[in-house]
Amino acid sequence: MGCGSVATTQLLLQINSKFGPGVLWNIVRGKYNTPREESRIFMFFDLNSSTTIAEKLGEDQFNLFLMIFLELITQMSALLRGLFMKVRQVSTG
């Protein structure tokens, strides 16, 4: 694999990560040239007692717990033809 193809792959992965899966292809296809109304639902998760849970599990197990949780939510969303645009962890503690 040449240097150019590695750079191209990295660029596409970054675009996919920033804007969500399939968005670049939709831009190329011209999907966004004609505006249309869409129904969207935004979900926010607040894990109660996350600090307490993290302290009990430890850092590695808590990160594994979050990874599994987000993977399950992502799978369910995909089954319903939804997607996560961005996942962000915010700590208030």
Side-chain angles (χ1 to χ4, degrees):
M1 188 180 274
C3 185
S5 60
V6 171
T8 301
T9 300
Q10 286 297 320
L11 175 64
L12 294 175
L13 288 172
Q14 287 296 320
I15 291 171
N16 206 39
S17 173
K18 177 75 174 171
F19 298 110
V23 172
L24 178 62
W25 178 243
N26 288 335
I27 291 170
V28 171
R29 284 188 2 219
K31 178 178 179 177
Y32 305 119
N33 290 344
T34 305
R36 66 183 177 113
E37 187 173 320
E38 293 183 350
S39 296
R40 299 275 179 153
I41 297 174
F42 293 89
M43 296 180 72
F44 298 90
F45 293 97
D46 183 12
L47 184 58
N48 288 334
S49 304
S50 60
T51 302
T52 304
I53 294 169
E55 288 171 349
K56 287 181 180 179
L57 292 177
E59 184 178 349
D60 291 340
Q61 290 298 312
F62 184 67
N63 284 327
L64 179 62
F65 166 76
L66 287 178
M67 189 175 70
I68 292 169
F69 171 76
L70 292 173
E71 180 61 29
L72 291 171
I73 296 297
T74 300
Q75 288 175 10
M76 291 303 298
S77 178
L79 285 173
L80 300 170
R81 295 187 303 190
L83 70 107
F84 278 111
M85 296 303 290
K86 188 169 189 175
V87 176
R88 181 172 172 214
Q89 181 179 346
V90 178
S91 174
T92 58

